[in-house]
Amino acid sequence: MSSSLKLGSTTSLLLASSPNKFNNTKPLFINVSSRLSSFQSFTTLKRTVKSSPSFSVKASSASTVADPGGIKALFDSLPPEDYKNGVLVLGGDGRYFNKEAAQIIIKIAAGNGVAKILVGQEGLLSTPAVSAVIRKRKANGGFIMSASHNPGGPENDWGIKFNCSSGQPAPESITDKIYGNTLSISEIKMGDIPDVDLSRLGTTKFGSFSVEVVDPVSDYLELMQSVFDFELIKSLVSRPDFRFTFDAMHAVTGAYAKPIFVDSLGASKDSITNGVPLEDFGNGHPDPNLTYAEDLVKILFSQNGPDFGAASDGDGDRNMILGKQFFVTPSDSVAIIAANAQEAIPYFKSGPKGLARSMPTSGALDRVAAKLNLPFFEVPTGWKFFGNLMDAGKLSICGEESFGTGSDHIREKDGIWAVLAWLSIIAHRNKGNKPGQKLVSVADVAKEHWATYGRNFFSRYDYEECASEGANKMVDYLRDMASKSKTGDKYGSYVLQCADDFSYTDPVDGSVAAKQGVRFVFTDGSRIIFRLSGTGSAGATVRVYIEQFESDASKHDIDAQIALKPLIDLALSVSKLKEFTGREKPTVIT
């Protein structure tokens, strides 16, 4: 039932590619942008391939095929008992090339002894839903075909990652092995089976191997109904004086929005915008921030805008929350959810076990943890660092400033979960309010939180697609500066408390993650942080994070860019960012 695809000996690693960029090149190039490094960067693997009719896939106008080497390398990196005769989940965000890639992955799974593949209808499953299905069905793991919040289409990104049996992203010990194994593959075993019709629900058997096409929504919706009080949320969403809008950005949550918000919670159909998943995300950039979700922002900040707005990204794990003429920063969002979870969300009726944030995220969550006397953890950027804490029973609610929020109901960040959490809080605050009475708004909840805990002014400047050489030189320069700094050094009007390149020792398994971001912390609690990041396939993204705490409630309504201007100017001066990158302005400001 299986056949082998022989690979030539030529193997090299390239950066920054897309399915059509090698259309005039021979030998045949196989493109896949895989998250294989600790920085979750997408890579492209180039291989020489001997022709094999059973493997040819038309991925674009060029004769390109998905890289089976990355998939084979993954199987080689796992103990056989983790997948042999086991069950794996497969789904993705609906982007260009996913359907073709799904057929390839199914055949490779069959050729490597997997007993069953659970695949979302039409190849769709959001990243949170994959985690949920893995956990509910007790699967051995799962493949997620997505390049996250990056653009899709023939000239844009395609990616894949693997989640383990707990539902969380594979740890670095696995991703490092995957990368190493891609450099030495000589043979790929594939099941000699026809393509599976992914449009029809049901099970198709091929001897001892089977493929079950599942509803991408049902297991996830069932989980959400067990976490939240849907009747409470419905009492808000279905009110005639409450207007709600959700922008699915033509990405995977379009498949979830109507069943959850309209069918289950009573929202009007016109509350869902861009609700049809498209392979190129409607030629958009499915990243829910103030720049790429500008249309939604304009709607919420219009004179007669709705009361609540939200958006999610390509694979459904990120979120942006807006009120009427009000933006909730991701750092504030996770803090406000944590502060209100026990009273507003049934899943947390006994209280959260612990709280955690990524290092660049503002300290707003720290203050909630202190007030509630909860364990608190500061981890590197990357959801896998939260997963270990969750599995150890140390963590319930966590978040990243990069629009990722979640809890231990699964092992991924979860965009729709965050939207439902906010709707739960607003609904709880408005219990007993009759139609016509003034509703407690998103802004009211946020400002009440600031009055209690103080406000952490926060902003992030993203400089996308910078030349890698200049960006790396800048970070090296900052690392050297931090290593030579000492407490009491003056930076303009700011006095240094400490400076370092953040390193994290996991309290569960003792693993160490070093060089996670250069940070300068000042005696008044202000911070400036510099990181290289990116899940895209072009250049490097320089991220600059600026934070300042303000306890004086009379200053809480100041625009963040005004409040932070002295620190922003200091960050740009200290880093010599313009000199190293040539950039005058950031691509995105949040």
Side-chain angles (χ1 to χ4, degrees):
M1 189 183 110
S2 65
S3 60
S4 295
L5 174 66
K6 298 289 184 179
L7 299 183
S9 59
T10 302
T11 303
S12 63
L13 180 68
L14 301 179
L15 293 176
S17 185
S18 63
N20 275 345
K21 288 188 178 173
F22 300 115
N23 55 353
N24 295 318
T25 307
K26 292 184 180 181
L28 183 64
F29 286 84
I30 296 176
N31 305 340
V32 64
S33 301
S34 301
R35 282 185 190 175
L36 298 180
S37 76
S38 59
F39 297 103
Q40 293 186 318
S41 61
F42 290 91
T43 61
T44 299
L45 301 170
K46 179 182 80 173
R47 300 190 181 282
T48 304
V49 182
K50 294 183 180 179
S51 61
S52 173
S54 65
F55 185 68
S56 296
V57 176
K58 184 176 176 60
S60 63
S61 58
S63 298
T64 55
V65 292
D67 175 18
I71 310 303
K72 175 64 167 67
L74 192 147
F75 282 111
D76 290 345
S77 303
L78 298 173
E81 59 268 22
D82 281 2
Y83 63 88
K84 289 282 187 182
N85 301 313
V87 178
L88 294 177
V89 178
L90 172 63
D93 58 11
R95 72 177 53 232
Y96 182 84
F97 199 52
N98 274 11
K99 290 180 181 179
E100 294 88 346
Q103 301 294 346
I104 296 166
I105 293 167
I106 288 169
K107 291 178 173 64
I108 294 175
N112 281 272
V114 175
K116 186 174 186 177
I117 288 283
L118 298 169
V119 57
Q121 189 174 24
E122 301 290 3
L124 291 174
L125 272 175
S126 72
T127 289
V130 169
S131 186
V133 173
I134 290 173
R135 293 170 66 81
K136 179 183 177 180
R137 307 287 186 107
K138 302 187 185 311
N140 297 68
F143 295 101
I144 302 172
M145 301 175 293
S146 173
S148 188
H149 54 288
N150 295 294
E155 300 299 330
N156 289 306
D157 294 336
W158 185 86
I160 189 165
K161 69 173 184 173
F162 184 76
N163 281 27
C164 300
S165 59
S166 65
Q168 77 180 56
E172 287 185 38
S173 59
I174 297 297
T175 57
D176 288 345
K177 284 184 181 178
I178 295 171
Y179 171 69
N181 287 333
T182 62
L183 306 179
S184 59
I185 296 170
S186 60
E187 183 178 70
I188 296 174
K189 295 180 180 179
M190 301 181 67
D192 187 12
I193 59 177
D195 285 357
V196 177
D197 184 354
L198 300 183
S199 68
R200 299 179 60 183
L201 299 176
T203 302
T204 304
K205 293 187 176 181
F206 304 96
S208 60
F209 176 71
S210 65
V211 178
E212 181 182 352
V213 179
V214 300
D215 178 359
V217 179
S218 58
D219 284 355
Y220 179 79
L221 174 57
E222 180 183 295
L223 178 59
M224 292 301 99
Q225 289 170 327
S226 72
V227 171
F228 298 101
D229 182 344
F230 266 43
E231 287 304 311
L232 173 65
I233 301 173
K234 188 173 184 178
S235 71
L236 173 72
V237 172
S238 61
R239 286 179 66 124
D241 57 346
F242 180 82
R243 291 188 298 140
F244 158 81
T245 186
F246 177 78
D247 187 350
M249 305 189 81
H250 285 305
V252 73
T253 52
Y256 296 78
K258 183 178 179 295
I260 293 175
F261 297 122
V262 177
D263 299 342
S264 299
L265 294 173
S268 63
K269 290 183 180 180
D270 62 7
S271 65
I272 310 300
T273 62
N274 301 317
V276 178
L278 299 175
E279 290 189 334
D280 64 353
F281 307 118
N283 201 32
H285 190 145
D287 192 355
N289 59 43
L290 297 174
T291 298
Y292 297 123
E294 183 182 12
D295 289 346
L296 178 67
V297 174
K298 287 179 178 177
I299 291 170
L300 267 294
F301 277 79
S302 65
Q303 192 63 37
N304 192 35
D307 301 282
F308 184 93
S312 189
D313 73 326
D315 61 332
D317 62 355
R318 300 181 188 226
N319 73 94
M320 179 171 67
I321 303 297
L322 298 162
K324 185 180 292 186
Q325 300 183 354
F326 193 87
F327 166 62
V328 182
T329 71
S331 296
D332 278 345
S333 181
V334 65
I336 292 169
I337 290 171
N340 290 275
Q342 187 168 6
E343 63 179 11
I345 302 172
Y347 184 81
F348 301 108
K349 63 184 178 181
S350 299
K353 302 166 189 171
L355 307 177
R357 62 166 173 83
S358 64
M359 182 273 288
T361 303
S362 91
L365 188 63
D366 313 35
R367 299 180 184 280
V368 175
K371 185 176 179 63
L372 300 182
N373 196 28
L374 292 172
F376 172 77
F377 304 91
E378 181 182 40
V379 306
T381 298
W383 211 258
K384 57 181 172 282
F385 296 105
F386 295 128
N388 267 7
L389 296 168
M390 290 176 181
D391 288 344
K394 296 177 179 291
L395 174 62
S396 292
I397 298 173
C398 53
E400 297 178 333
E401 48 68 40
S402 53
F403 295 87
T405 324
S407 83
D408 61 350
H409 66 291
I410 56 172
R411 295 298 183 267
E412 285 278 6
K413 50 184 175 280
D414 190 343
I416 286 181
W417 175 91
V419 177
L420 293 173
W422 265 94
L423 288 173
S424 296
I425 292 167
I426 302 299
H428 178 78
R429 294 294 185 89
N430 285 287
K431 272 200 302 189
N433 271 2
K434 296 178 181 178
Q437 291 182 304
K438 184 183 182 300
L439 289 171
V440 176
S441 68
V442 171
D444 292 335
V445 170
K447 290 179 180 181
E448 180 184 316
H449 182 89
W450 295 340
T452 302
Y453 294 94
R455 181 178 181 184
N456 288 74
F457 284 101
F458 180 87
S459 187
R460 188 181 87 190
Y461 278 33
D462 290 358
Y463 298 81
E464 297 177 352
E465 298 186 10
C466 293
S468 296
E469 182 180 0
N472 284 312
K473 283 182 178 179
M474 187 193 81
V475 172
D476 289 342
Y477 168 77
L478 288 167
R479 283 177 177 149
D480 183 63
M481 179 186 294
S483 70
K484 295 174 180 176
S485 66
K486 57 185 182 298
T487 301
D489 285 350
K490 293 287 186 69
Y491 289 76
S493 61
Y494 297 89
V495 179
L496 188 71
Q497 177 178 313
C498 64
D500 63 8
D501 194 351
F502 181 63
S503 180
Y504 173 73
T505 301
D506 193 303
V508 178
D509 62 18
S511 60
V512 176
K515 296 185 176 180
Q516 295 297 308
V518 182
R519 56 182 182 171
F520 295 81
V521 182
F522 302 102
T523 52
D524 66 349
S526 300
R527 297 191 303 165
I528 53 176
I529 297 164
F530 304 89
R531 287 182 65 244
L532 289 188
S533 181
T535 51
S537 60
T541 296
V542 175
R543 302 198 198 279
V544 183
Y545 310 82
I546 308 99
E547 176 187 5
Q548 181 170 293
F549 176 72
E550 180 56 69
S551 60
D552 185 348
S554 69
K555 298 179 181 179
H556 287 170
D557 288 334
I558 298 174
D559 181 271
Q561 296 305 310
I562 295 173
L564 293 170
K565 189 176 187 309
L567 264 181
I568 293 169
D569 291 343
L570 176 64
L572 298 178
S573 172
V574 165
S575 64
K576 298 185 178 180
L577 188 143
K578 181 181 175 181
E579 178 181 327
F580 282 109
T581 68
R583 293 300 184 86
E584 295 278 353
K585 296 180 180 179
T587 314
V588 178
I589 297 176
T590 51

